[in-house]
Amino acid sequence: MATDVSALQEELREDPYPLYRVLRESGRAHWSELPRGWLIPHHSDVVAVLRDPRLGVDRRVRSDSRCPHDRASILDKQHDQTLFFMDPPAHTRLRERVRHAFTPRRVEALRPRIQAIAEELLEAAASRGRLELIADFAYPLPVRVIAELLGIPADDLPLLRRWSDDLAVLLVEPFKDEDADARCEASLTEMRTYFEAVFSERRSAPRDDLVSELVGAEPADALDDDELFGLVSLVLVAGHETTTNLIGNSVLALLRNPEARRFLAVDPSRTADAVDELLRFESPVQVAQRIALEDCEVAGQRVRRGDRLYPLLGSANRDPEAFPEPDRLDFRRGEVRHVAFGSGRHFCLGAALARLEGAVALETLMRRLPSFKADFEKPVWRQRLVLRGLETLPLRF
Ligand code: HEM
């Protein structure tokens, strides 16, 4: 196993599973200097941590949590208004305001649009005779869906990509390059100006979209602009890269596992269930984060108030105690109790939407381009550790 940090990061990006195995086999909680916190690798402990009310997400519990310079206040504000980093009661109130938009029934109503976008993207690829799966399909599909849901015009999608990329690093990645905070601050400022204009437009002329619903709330439920921006920007980021990664990681897994691919080709009606096994097998979010709100014992380890904990979702999903033969992609497992969407009060709000997009994407790809093959020697992973996904995945057919 690599010892210097950049080699270790590279190794983790390529294949984190050997390290996860070593961690699981050598204890329940491991202190790591790299993210400065406790790594929790087992499925049962990860579920317990995610559901433990003594562990929260509000980093204000830590004295060193604020950004070190004054101009960073916009970054701090963004953290403080983001569901990911809010504890009850603020979390409960804000989540309740947006929950209804993502119920399985509301999401199912989006199916015809998701299907139409998937067909359109693959039609264009078929006529070109090539498909770079990420740029041509896995990225634009969820982005167009989330933009339509929010009511953002298609012309503005390139802006959303830049903002969302910068914000994703701020919100979840433990390792950032030196310029990340400054880039993120610039993106947040532009994004905020953009969305304030959208909020005021929708207040005066509501449409049939999520932003209009949120700004049009009764006065008792009304959200201020900080709360609105926190919600909308999170939905945008959370609904962006994660689902791209689900589609990209799934197609790579099918290329590497011909038997599983044949199973779906023979019976496409199993695609929706297969998505959960694919989420387990190559989880788009590998790591969650918690902070101890009090001194307590977690996974057999004494932790102190303010200590960070990192439940390793990707490791929990390969834990043999929870999944027999965990390194096998097996669509016959029955119910897959993975933690790819987390667990407990921060359970992914977009899980139903992500599952539907993943199922529609795979089913449409396998139907329209059944002979797709890898057009690369080695997959190129993105420079991320928490969000596991591919930079490119060129296919021929
Ligand atoms: C395959 C795709 C996705 C994966 C793997 C995923 C994964 C996750 C995970 C692991 C969490 C919990 C983090 C924690 O406990 O700290 C989470 C939370 C969240 N997700 Fe997703 N997500 C996906 C897609 C989406 C989509 C499409 C949306 C929105 C449209 C979305 C919106 C959210 C939101 C708003 C939260 C925060 C919930 C809260 O803190 O209460 N996600 N997601």
Side-chain angles (χ1 to χ4, degrees), residues 18 55 89 94 96 115 167 193 221 224 240 289 310 338 368:
L55 308 174
L94 203 56
E96 193 49 37
Q115 187 69 57
L167 202 53
T193 310
D221 287 334
D224 63 30
H240 226 101
Q289 199 182 131
Y310 295 93
H338 63 74
R368 290 195 73 131

Side-chain angles (χ1 to χ4, degrees), residues 181-201:
D181 275 4
R183 249 191 351 259
C184 186
E185 195 183 322
S187 280
L188 268 174
T189 310
E190 284 175 32
M191 193 175 176
R192 174 101 195 196
T193 310
Y194 176 92
F195 276 108
E196 276 173 2
V198 176
F199 298 154
S200 91
E201 268 170 43

Side-chain angles (χ1 to χ4, degrees), residues 59-60 65-82 167 170 181-182 184-186 188-189 192 226 229:
R59 63 196 188 126
R60 283 172 291 190
S65 70
R66 310 307 286 191
C67 296
H69 30 74
D70 282 350
R71 66 182 179 77
S73 61
I74 186 166
L75 305 183
D76 282 332
K77 200 154 151 188
Q78 184 64 19
H79 263 102
D80 299 347
Q81 295 293 346
T82 299
L167 202 53
L170 172 83
D181 275 4
C184 186
E185 195 183 322
L188 268 174
T189 310
R192 174 101 195 196
D226 285 347
F229 182 66

Side-chain angles (χ1 to χ4, degrees), residues 2-133:
T3 46
D4 84 87
V5 172
S6 63
L8 180 63
Q9 288 186 32
E10 179 68 29
E11 198 172 296
L12 282 173
R13 269 194 297 274
E14 296 286 317
D15 182 7
Y17 304 108
L19 173 65
Y20 292 159
R21 188 179 314 118
V22 171
L23 290 174
R24 283 192 309 268
E25 287 172 0
S26 56
R28 292 175 61 198
H30 305 266
W31 176 259
S32 168
E33 274 303 320
L34 226 48
R36 294 198 58 76
W38 297 99
L39 307 180
I40 311 291
H42 287 95
H43 186 275
S44 55
D45 290 329
V46 164
V47 173
V49 164
L50 294 174
R51 298 178 152 266
D52 191 332
R54 299 168 307 169
L55 308 174
V57 288
D58 189 336
R59 63 196 188 126
R60 283 172 291 190
V61 169
R62 292 173 61 93
S63 55
D64 64 349
S65 70
R66 310 307 286 191
C67 296
H69 30 74
D70 282 350
R71 66 182 179 77
S73 61
I74 186 166
L75 305 183
D76 282 332
K77 200 154 151 188
Q78 184 64 19
H79 263 102
D80 299 347
Q81 295 293 346
T82 299
L83 278 178
F84 272 145
F85 302 109
M86 292 168 85
D87 287 330
H91 173 264
T92 321
R93 170 175 176 268
L94 203 56
R95 184 164 167 128
E96 193 49 37
R97 291 293 294 108
V98 74
R99 189 181 54 83
H100 61 92
F102 296 98
T103 57
R105 204 159 57 92
R106 283 285 290 272
V107 165
E108 189 52 38
L110 300 172
R111 182 187 286 273
R113 252 329 268 155
I114 299 173
Q115 187 69 57
I117 299 171
E119 303 281 355
E120 189 191 310
L121 293 169
L122 290 184
E123 178 76 46
S127 65
R128 281 195 308 270
R130 64 184 163 72
L131 177 68
E132 201 294 89
L133 186 96

Side-chain angles (χ1 to χ4, degrees), residues 50 57 82-86 91 95 98 102 146 149 231 234-236 238-240 242-246 279 283-285 287-290 313 339-343 345-351 353-355 357:
L50 294 174
V57 288
T82 299
L83 278 178
F84 272 145
F85 302 109
M86 292 168 85
H91 173 264
R95 184 164 167 128
V98 74
F102 296 98
I146 206 76
L149 189 91
L231 262 183
L234 175 62
V235 165
L236 191 68
H240 226 101
T242 49
T243 314
T244 299
N245 294 350
L246 166 62
L279 279 159
S283 306
V285 180
V287 187
Q289 199 182 131
R290 291 294 181 271
L313 309 178
V339 286
F341 291 125
S343 185
R345 72 165 76 100
H346 292 277
F347 181 81
C348 177
L349 202 59
L353 178 59
R355 283 190 169 109
E357 290 182 293

